[in-house]
Amino acid sequence: MSGVLATVDQRTQLVGENRLELLIFKLNSMQLFAINVFKVKEVVKLPRMNKLPGSHPHISGVVNLRGVSIPVIDLRAAIKMPPAKAEAQADCNLIITEYNRSVQGFMVGEVMHIVNTSWKDILPPPSSAGRSNYLTAITRIDYQDANRIVEIIDVEKVLAEIVSYKVNISEDALDKNVVSLLNGKRVLVVDDSSTARGQVKATLGQLGMEIIEVENGLQALNLLKRWLEQGKSVYDEILLMITDAEMPEMDGYRLTAEVRNDPRMAKLFIALNTSLSGSFNQAMVEKVGCNRFISKFQPDLLVDVVQQRMRELMAK
């Protein structure tokens, strides 16, 4: 099963081209689900688990892989699907992922294959799905002579309901010469995960900052261009833009490249805020021209970024 990811290193070429690869799987049902291959370390048959007394009810246990203890999350239970039959666990697989500097395993059913696609073909979930759904996006693939819907899991929401993300700012993180100037400043936050947007809003809101939220890179680019068409300066409208990397329709790398290629907003301060690995994203930051890279759900780093931007303006 791990062979399905044997060429994952070669897939870095897709990022920056508004493309991605999805790992398609089932949750012991006919529905098709997916997560981005870049979050996946390996796929294995479900090993023997040890129970963790007192753990979250969605954590089925812990497994030991090559000397590393990894918590196992029952993804079916975590997204509020009806429980699978007990005998189905024998056919389960484990998708080992890395999100926000932590490693975890998701217990799923059949792991099928990898699909190469474009972010422009990845669409937000329909509004009728409501705010409580566990999807960041949907797409379609050809499967068994039929065109099937694939639901892309909002893993950040799943994890946030198991381990709460912090929004408290350390006193040491605040620059008293700068922080008072942030009150009323506006930040454009671009992320397809409502959980991630909420964390940024809750953190920077403590500084009196106003947050403009959009759900993907295309929405952000359209908003920036609309301001320009109205005769407004992007630099007057927002202090900076904080964007996720992976989003439907247009990813954060392409968004950054589009901004940099427009002389009317080319100098906009852009921070890439993502749960992907730091070393990889640092290289992409340099390639597309972001000002900063920060791993998600680190409130002190968010504050450091906005204070850095404020200092730059003060120095002019």
Short mmCIF file of all heavy atoms in Angstrom, two decimals, residues 162-220:
data_model
loop_
_atom_site.label_atom_id
_atom_site.label_comp_id
_atom_site.label_asym_id
_atom_site.label_seq_id
_atom_site.Cartn_x
_atom_site.Cartn_y
_atom_site.Cartn_z
N ILE A 162 -10.47 17.75 18.21
CA ILE A 162 -9.81 16.77 19.08
C ILE A 162 -8.77 17.45 19.96
O ILE A 162 -8.69 17.18 21.16
CB ILE A 162 -9.16 15.67 18.21
CG1 ILE A 162 -10.24 14.89 17.46
CG2 ILE A 162 -8.31 14.72 19.07
CD1 ILE A 162 -9.71 13.89 16.46
N VAL A 163 -7.98 18.33 19.37
CA VAL A 163 -6.97 19.09 20.12
C VAL A 163 -7.22 20.57 19.85
O VAL A 163 -7.01 21.04 18.73
CB VAL A 163 -5.54 18.71 19.70
CG1 VAL A 163 -4.53 19.51 20.50
CG2 VAL A 163 -5.30 17.23 19.87
N SER A 164 -7.66 21.31 20.83
CA SER A 164 -8.01 22.73 20.63
C SER A 164 -6.77 23.55 20.28
O SER A 164 -5.70 23.40 20.91
CB SER A 164 -8.65 23.29 21.91
OG SER A 164 -9.85 22.62 22.20
N TYR A 165 -6.91 24.40 19.27
CA TYR A 165 -5.81 25.28 18.89
C TYR A 165 -5.82 26.53 19.76
O TYR A 165 -6.86 27.07 20.09
CB TYR A 165 -5.93 25.67 17.42
CG TYR A 165 -5.72 24.52 16.47
CD1 TYR A 165 -6.70 24.18 15.54
CD2 TYR A 165 -4.54 23.78 16.50
CE1 TYR A 165 -6.50 23.13 14.66
CE2 TYR A 165 -4.35 22.73 15.62
CZ TYR A 165 -5.33 22.40 14.70
OH TYR A 165 -5.13 21.36 13.84
N LYS A 166 -4.63 26.99 20.12
CA LYS A 166 -4.50 28.15 20.99
C LYS A 166 -4.67 29.43 20.20
O LYS A 166 -4.28 29.53 19.03
CB LYS A 166 -3.13 28.14 21.68
CG LYS A 166 -2.90 26.96 22.60
CD LYS A 166 -1.51 27.02 23.22
CE LYS A 166 -1.27 25.84 24.16
NZ LYS A 166 0.09 25.86 24.74
N VAL A 167 -5.25 30.42 20.84
CA VAL A 167 -5.33 31.76 20.24
C VAL A 167 -4.76 32.82 21.18
O VAL A 167 -4.67 33.99 20.81
CB VAL A 167 -6.79 32.13 19.87
CG1 VAL A 167 -7.33 31.18 18.82
CG2 VAL A 167 -7.68 32.13 21.10
N ASN A 168 -4.34 32.41 22.38
CA ASN A 168 -3.79 33.37 23.35
C ASN A 168 -2.41 33.84 22.90
O ASN A 168 -1.57 33.05 22.46
CB ASN A 168 -3.69 32.73 24.73
CG ASN A 168 -5.05 32.40 25.31
OD1 ASN A 168 -6.04 33.07 25.00
ND2 ASN A 168 -5.13 31.35 26.11
N ILE A 169 -2.19 35.14 23.04
CA ILE A 169 -0.92 35.75 22.66
C ILE A 169 -0.05 35.90 23.89
O ILE A 169 -0.48 36.41 24.93
CB ILE A 169 -1.16 37.12 22.01
CG1 ILE A 169 -2.10 37.00 20.82
CG2 ILE A 169 0.16 37.76 21.61
CD1 ILE A 169 -2.59 38.34 20.30
N SER A 170 1.21 35.47 23.78
CA SER A 170 2.15 35.62 24.89
C SER A 170 2.50 37.09 25.08
O SER A 170 2.65 37.84 24.10
CB SER A 170 3.44 34.82 24.62
OG SER A 170 3.16 33.46 24.41
N GLU A 171 2.65 37.49 26.31
CA GLU A 171 3.01 38.88 26.60
C GLU A 171 4.34 39.25 25.96
O GLU A 171 4.54 40.37 25.46
CB GLU A 171 3.08 39.08 28.12
CG GLU A 171 3.24 40.53 28.55
CD GLU A 171 2.01 41.38 28.24
OE1 GLU A 171 0.90 40.82 28.19
OE2 GLU A 171 2.18 42.60 28.04
N ASP A 172 5.26 38.27 25.93
CA ASP A 172 6.59 38.52 25.35
C ASP A 172 6.54 38.76 23.86
O ASP A 172 7.49 39.30 23.28
CB ASP A 172 7.52 37.34 25.64
CG ASP A 172 7.85 37.20 27.12
OD1 ASP A 172 7.63 38.19 27.86
OD2 ASP A 172 8.30 36.12 27.54
N ALA A 173 5.45 38.33 23.21
CA ALA A 173 5.36 38.49 21.75
C ALA A 173 4.97 39.90 21.34
O ALA A 173 5.10 40.26 20.17
CB ALA A 173 4.34 37.50 21.19
N LEU A 174 4.48 40.70 22.27
CA LEU A 174 3.97 42.02 21.94
C LEU A 174 5.05 43.09 22.00
O LEU A 174 5.78 43.20 22.99
CB LEU A 174 2.84 42.38 22.91
CG LEU A 174 1.61 41.46 22.87
CD1 LEU A 174 0.62 41.87 23.95
CD2 LEU A 174 0.95 41.49 21.50
N ASP A 175 5.18 43.84 20.93
CA ASP A 175 6.08 44.99 20.87
C ASP A 175 5.25 46.22 21.19
O ASP A 175 4.45 46.68 20.38
CB ASP A 175 6.69 45.09 19.47
CG ASP A 175 7.69 46.25 19.35
OD1 ASP A 175 7.68 47.15 20.21
OD2 ASP A 175 8.46 46.25 18.36
N LYS A 176 5.42 46.76 22.39
CA LYS A 176 4.57 47.86 22.85
C LYS A 176 4.74 49.13 22.03
O LYS A 176 3.90 50.03 22.07
CB LYS A 176 4.84 48.12 24.34
CG LYS A 176 4.37 46.97 25.22
CD LYS A 176 4.60 47.25 26.69
CE LYS A 176 3.94 46.18 27.56
NZ LYS A 176 4.28 44.80 27.16
N ASN A 177 5.83 49.23 21.27
CA ASN A 177 6.03 50.38 20.40
C ASN A 177 5.23 50.27 19.11
O ASN A 177 5.10 51.25 18.37
CB ASN A 177 7.51 50.54 20.05
CG ASN A 177 8.36 50.85 21.27
OD1 ASN A 177 7.96 51.64 22.13
ND2 ASN A 177 9.53 50.24 21.35
N VAL A 178 4.73 49.10 18.86
CA VAL A 178 4.06 48.83 17.58
C VAL A 178 2.60 48.42 17.76
O VAL A 178 1.73 48.82 16.98
CB VAL A 178 4.81 47.71 16.81
CG1 VAL A 178 4.07 47.31 15.54
CG2 VAL A 178 6.23 48.15 16.49
N VAL A 179 2.33 47.62 18.79
CA VAL A 179 1.04 46.95 18.88
C VAL A 179 -0.14 47.92 18.93
O VAL A 179 -1.21 47.65 18.36
CB VAL A 179 1.03 46.00 20.10
CG1 VAL A 179 1.04 46.78 21.42
CG2 VAL A 179 -0.16 45.05 20.04
N SER A 180 0.03 49.09 19.55
CA SER A 180 -1.07 50.05 19.63
C SER A 180 -1.44 50.59 18.25
O SER A 180 -2.59 51.02 18.03
CB SER A 180 -0.72 51.19 20.57
OG SER A 180 0.42 51.90 20.09
N LEU A 181 -0.49 50.58 17.32
CA LEU A 181 -0.74 51.10 15.98
C LEU A 181 -1.53 50.12 15.11
O LEU A 181 -2.01 50.49 14.04
CB LEU A 181 0.58 51.43 15.28
CG LEU A 181 1.48 52.45 16.00
CD1 LEU A 181 2.80 52.61 15.26
CD2 LEU A 181 0.75 53.80 16.09
N LEU A 182 -1.68 48.89 15.57
CA LEU A 182 -2.38 47.87 14.79
C LEU A 182 -3.90 47.97 14.94
O LEU A 182 -4.64 47.41 14.13
CB LEU A 182 -1.92 46.48 15.21
CG LEU A 182 -0.44 46.15 14.93
CD1 LEU A 182 -0.07 44.81 15.55
CD2 LEU A 182 -0.17 46.14 13.43
N ASN A 183 -4.35 48.68 15.96
CA ASN A 183 -5.79 48.80 16.20
C ASN A 183 -6.48 49.43 14.99
O ASN A 183 -6.11 50.52 14.53
CB ASN A 183 -6.04 49.64 17.45
CG ASN A 183 -7.52 49.70 17.80
OD1 ASN A 183 -8.18 48.68 17.94
ND2 ASN A 183 -8.04 50.92 17.92
N GLY A 184 -7.47 48.73 14.45
CA GLY A 184 -8.22 49.24 13.30
C GLY A 184 -7.63 48.90 11.96
O GLY A 184 -8.29 49.10 10.92
N LYS A 185 -6.41 48.36 11.93
CA LYS A 185 -5.81 47.96 10.66
C LYS A 185 -6.52 46.71 10.14
O LYS A 185 -6.96 45.86 10.90
CB LYS A 185 -4.31 47.68 10.83
CG LYS A 185 -3.49 48.89 11.27
CD LYS A 185 -3.47 49.96 10.20
CE LYS A 185 -2.57 51.13 10.61
NZ LYS A 185 -2.60 52.22 9.62
N ARG A 186 -6.59 46.60 8.81
CA ARG A 186 -7.33 45.49 8.21
C ARG A 186 -6.36 44.48 7.57
O ARG A 186 -5.34 44.84 6.99
CB ARG A 186 -8.31 46.02 7.16
CG ARG A 186 -9.31 46.99 7.74
CD ARG A 186 -10.59 47.03 6.92
NE ARG A 186 -10.37 47.48 5.54
CZ ARG A 186 -11.33 47.52 4.61
NH1 ARG A 186 -12.56 47.11 4.91
NH2 ARG A 186 -11.06 47.96 3.40
N VAL A 187 -6.74 43.21 7.70
CA VAL A 187 -5.96 42.11 7.14
C VAL A 187 -6.88 41.27 6.27
O VAL A 187 -8.00 40.94 6.68
CB VAL A 187 -5.35 41.23 8.26
CG1 VAL A 187 -4.57 40.07 7.66
CG2 VAL A 187 -4.47 42.06 9.18
N LEU A 188 -6.41 40.93 5.08
CA LEU A 188 -7.15 40.01 4.21
C LEU A 188 -6.68 38.59 4.51
O LEU A 188 -5.49 38.28 4.33
CB LEU A 188 -6.91 40.36 2.74
CG LEU A 188 -7.57 39.45 1.70
CD1 LEU A 188 -9.08 39.40 1.89
CD2 LEU A 188 -7.21 39.90 0.29
N VAL A 189 -7.58 37.73 4.98
CA VAL A 189 -7.26 36.35 5.33
C VAL A 189 -7.90 35.43 4.28
O VAL A 189 -9.12 35.47 4.08
CB VAL A 189 -7.76 35.99 6.74
CG1 VAL A 189 -7.49 34.52 7.05
CG2 VAL A 189 -7.07 36.88 7.78
N VAL A 190 -7.06 34.62 3.63
CA VAL A 190 -7.51 33.78 2.53
C VAL A 190 -7.29 32.32 2.92
O VAL A 190 -6.15 31.87 3.04
CB VAL A 190 -6.71 34.10 1.23
CG1 VAL A 190 -7.35 33.41 0.04
CG2 VAL A 190 -6.58 35.60 1.02
N ASP A 191 -8.38 31.59 3.15
CA ASP A 191 -8.25 30.19 3.57
C ASP A 191 -9.57 29.48 3.34
O ASP A 191 -10.64 30.04 3.63
CB ASP A 191 -7.87 30.11 5.06
CG ASP A 191 -7.19 28.80 5.43
OD1 ASP A 191 -7.80 27.73 5.18
OD2 ASP A 191 -6.07 28.84 5.96
N ASP A 192 -9.50 28.25 2.85
CA ASP A 192 -10.74 27.49 2.61
C ASP A 192 -11.26 26.83 3.87
O ASP A 192 -12.40 26.36 3.89
CB ASP A 192 -10.54 26.45 1.51
CG ASP A 192 -9.44 25.44 1.83
OD1 ASP A 192 -8.52 25.80 2.57
OD2 ASP A 192 -9.50 24.31 1.33
N SER A 193 -10.46 26.79 4.94
CA SER A 193 -10.90 26.19 6.19
C SER A 193 -11.46 27.26 7.12
O SER A 193 -10.75 28.19 7.51
CB SER A 193 -9.73 25.46 6.88
OG SER A 193 -10.10 25.06 8.19
N SER A 194 -12.74 27.13 7.49
CA SER A 194 -13.33 28.09 8.42
C SER A 194 -12.64 28.02 9.78
O SER A 194 -12.55 29.04 10.49
CB SER A 194 -14.83 27.81 8.57
OG SER A 194 -15.06 26.49 9.06
N THR A 195 -12.13 26.86 10.14
CA THR A 195 -11.40 26.71 11.40
C THR A 195 -10.13 27.55 11.39
O THR A 195 -9.82 28.27 12.35
CB THR A 195 -11.04 25.24 11.65
OG1 THR A 195 -12.24 24.47 11.76
CG2 THR A 195 -10.21 25.07 12.92
N ALA A 196 -9.38 27.48 10.29
CA ALA A 196 -8.14 28.25 10.19
C ALA A 196 -8.42 29.75 10.16
O ALA A 196 -7.72 30.54 10.82
CB ALA A 196 -7.37 27.82 8.95
N ARG A 197 -9.44 30.16 9.41
CA ARG A 197 -9.79 31.59 9.38
C ARG A 197 -10.20 32.06 10.76
O ARG A 197 -9.84 33.17 11.20
CB ARG A 197 -10.93 31.85 8.39
CG ARG A 197 -10.59 31.57 6.94
CD ARG A 197 -11.61 32.22 5.99
NE ARG A 197 -12.99 31.91 6.31
CZ ARG A 197 -13.66 30.85 5.85
NH1 ARG A 197 -13.05 29.98 5.05
NH2 ARG A 197 -14.93 30.65 6.16
N GLY A 198 -10.95 31.24 11.47
CA GLY A 198 -11.40 31.61 12.81
C GLY A 198 -10.25 31.79 13.77
O GLY A 198 -10.28 32.69 14.63
N GLN A 199 -9.21 30.96 13.64
CA GLN A 199 -8.06 31.09 14.53
C GLN A 199 -7.31 32.40 14.29
O GLN A 199 -6.91 33.09 15.23
CB GLN A 199 -7.11 29.89 14.34
CG GLN A 199 -6.01 29.81 15.38
CD GLN A 199 -4.72 30.48 14.94
OE1 GLN A 199 -4.56 30.84 13.76
NE2 GLN A 199 -3.80 30.66 15.87
N VAL A 200 -7.15 32.76 13.01
CA VAL A 200 -6.48 34.02 12.69
C VAL A 200 -7.30 35.20 13.20
O VAL A 200 -6.77 36.14 13.81
CB VAL A 200 -6.24 34.14 11.17
CG1 VAL A 200 -5.66 35.52 10.84
CG2 VAL A 200 -5.31 33.04 10.68
N LYS A 201 -8.60 35.13 12.99
CA LYS A 201 -9.49 36.22 13.42
C LYS A 201 -9.48 36.36 14.93
O LYS A 201 -9.42 37.49 15.46
CB LYS A 201 -10.91 35.94 12.92
CG LYS A 201 -11.89 37.07 13.17
CD LYS A 201 -13.23 36.77 12.51
CE LYS A 201 -14.21 37.93 12.68
NZ LYS A 201 -15.50 37.66 11.99
N ALA A 202 -9.54 35.24 15.65
CA ALA A 202 -9.55 35.30 17.11
C ALA A 202 -8.23 35.82 17.66
O ALA A 202 -8.20 36.51 18.69
CB ALA A 202 -9.84 33.91 17.67
N THR A 203 -7.14 35.50 16.98
CA THR A 203 -5.82 35.95 17.44
C THR A 203 -5.63 37.44 17.19
O THR A 203 -5.35 38.22 18.11
CB THR A 203 -4.71 35.15 16.74
OG1 THR A 203 -4.84 33.76 17.05
CG2 THR A 203 -3.33 35.63 17.21
N LEU A 204 -5.78 37.86 15.95
CA LEU A 204 -5.51 39.25 15.60
C LEU A 204 -6.60 40.19 16.09
O LEU A 204 -6.36 41.39 16.27
CB LEU A 204 -5.32 39.38 14.09
CG LEU A 204 -4.15 38.58 13.50
CD1 LEU A 204 -4.00 38.88 12.01
CD2 LEU A 204 -2.86 38.88 14.25
N GLY A 205 -7.79 39.65 16.33
CA GLY A 205 -8.85 40.47 16.90
C GLY A 205 -8.50 41.00 18.27
O GLY A 205 -9.00 42.05 18.69
N GLN A 206 -7.64 40.29 18.99
CA GLN A 206 -7.20 40.76 20.32
C GLN A 206 -6.38 42.04 20.22
O GLN A 206 -6.23 42.76 21.21
CB GLN A 206 -6.36 39.67 20.99
CG GLN A 206 -7.11 38.37 21.24
CD GLN A 206 -6.18 37.27 21.73
OE1 GLN A 206 -5.58 37.37 22.80
NE2 GLN A 206 -6.07 36.21 20.96
N LEU A 207 -5.85 42.32 19.04
CA LEU A 207 -5.07 43.53 18.82
C LEU A 207 -5.92 44.65 18.23
O LEU A 207 -5.39 45.71 17.88
CB LEU A 207 -3.89 43.24 17.87
CG LEU A 207 -2.99 42.06 18.26
CD1 LEU A 207 -1.89 41.89 17.22
CD2 LEU A 207 -2.39 42.26 19.65
N GLY A 208 -7.22 44.39 18.09
CA GLY A 208 -8.11 45.40 17.51
C GLY A 208 -8.08 45.44 16.00
O GLY A 208 -8.59 46.39 15.39
N MET A 209 -7.50 44.41 15.39
CA MET A 209 -7.41 44.39 13.93
C MET A 209 -8.72 43.88 13.33
O MET A 209 -9.42 43.06 13.93
CB MET A 209 -6.24 43.51 13.49
CG MET A 209 -4.90 43.94 14.06
SD MET A 209 -3.49 43.11 13.31
CE MET A 209 -3.39 43.97 11.74
N GLU A 210 -9.05 44.36 12.15
CA GLU A 210 -10.25 43.93 11.43
C GLU A 210 -9.86 42.90 10.38
O GLU A 210 -8.86 43.07 9.68
CB GLU A 210 -10.93 45.13 10.77
CG GLU A 210 -11.39 46.19 11.77
CD GLU A 210 -12.03 47.38 11.09
OE1 GLU A 210 -12.38 47.26 9.89
OE2 GLU A 210 -12.16 48.44 11.73
N ILE A 211 -10.63 41.85 10.28
CA ILE A 211 -10.32 40.74 9.38
C ILE A 211 -11.32 40.69 8.23
O ILE A 211 -12.53 40.67 8.46
CB ILE A 211 -10.31 39.40 10.13
CG1 ILE A 211 -9.40 39.46 11.35
CG2 ILE A 211 -9.90 38.27 9.19
CD1 ILE A 211 -7.95 39.78 11.04
N ILE A 212 -10.82 40.68 7.02
CA ILE A 212 -11.64 40.43 5.83
C ILE A 212 -11.39 38.99 5.43
O ILE A 212 -10.25 38.60 5.16
CB ILE A 212 -11.26 41.38 4.68
CG1 ILE A 212 -11.40 42.84 5.12
CG2 ILE A 212 -12.12 41.09 3.45
CD1 ILE A 212 -10.83 43.83 4.11
N GLU A 213 -12.42 38.17 5.39
CA GLU A 213 -12.28 36.75 5.11
C GLU A 213 -12.75 36.40 3.71
O GLU A 213 -13.83 36.81 3.29
CB GLU A 213 -13.09 35.91 6.10
CG GLU A 213 -12.72 36.09 7.56
CD GLU A 213 -13.60 35.22 8.45
OE1 GLU A 213 -13.66 33.98 8.21
OE2 GLU A 213 -14.24 35.76 9.36
N VAL A 214 -11.93 35.63 2.99
CA VAL A 214 -12.37 35.00 1.74
C VAL A 214 -11.90 33.55 1.76
O VAL A 214 -11.00 33.19 2.51
CB VAL A 214 -11.83 35.72 0.48
CG1 VAL A 214 -12.40 37.13 0.38
CG2 VAL A 214 -10.32 35.77 0.48
N GLU A 215 -12.51 32.72 0.91
CA GLU A 215 -12.34 31.28 1.03
C GLU A 215 -11.34 30.68 0.06
O GLU A 215 -11.01 29.50 0.19
CB GLU A 215 -13.70 30.59 0.87
CG GLU A 215 -14.69 30.96 1.95
CD GLU A 215 -16.05 30.32 1.75
OE1 GLU A 215 -16.23 29.60 0.74
OE2 GLU A 215 -16.93 30.53 2.60
N ASN A 216 -10.87 31.43 -0.92
CA ASN A 216 -9.88 30.86 -1.83
C ASN A 216 -9.15 31.98 -2.57
O ASN A 216 -9.51 33.15 -2.49
CB ASN A 216 -10.53 29.89 -2.83
CG ASN A 216 -11.58 30.54 -3.70
OD1 ASN A 216 -11.29 31.45 -4.47
ND2 ASN A 216 -12.83 30.07 -3.59
N GLY A 217 -8.10 31.59 -3.30
CA GLY A 217 -7.26 32.56 -3.97
C GLY A 217 -7.97 33.35 -5.04
O GLY A 217 -7.69 34.55 -5.23
N LEU A 218 -8.89 32.73 -5.75
CA LEU A 218 -9.61 33.44 -6.80
C LEU A 218 -10.49 34.53 -6.21
O LEU A 218 -10.55 35.66 -6.75
CB LEU A 218 -10.45 32.46 -7.62
CG LEU A 218 -11.16 33.05 -8.84
CD1 LEU A 218 -10.17 33.68 -9.80
CD2 LEU A 218 -12.00 31.99 -9.54
N GLN A 219 -11.17 34.24 -5.11
CA GLN A 219 -11.98 35.27 -4.45
C GLN A 219 -11.10 36.44 -4.00
O GLN A 219 -11.48 37.60 -4.13
CB GLN A 219 -12.71 34.68 -3.25
CG GLN A 219 -13.84 33.73 -3.60
CD GLN A 219 -14.55 33.20 -2.37
OE1 GLN A 219 -14.27 33.63 -1.24
NE2 GLN A 219 -15.47 32.27 -2.56
N ALA A 220 -9.93 36.12 -3.46
CA ALA A 220 -9.02 37.17 -2.99
C ALA A 220 -8.54 38.03 -4.15
O ALA A 220 -8.54 39.27 -4.06
CB ALA A 220 -7.82 36.54 -2.27
#
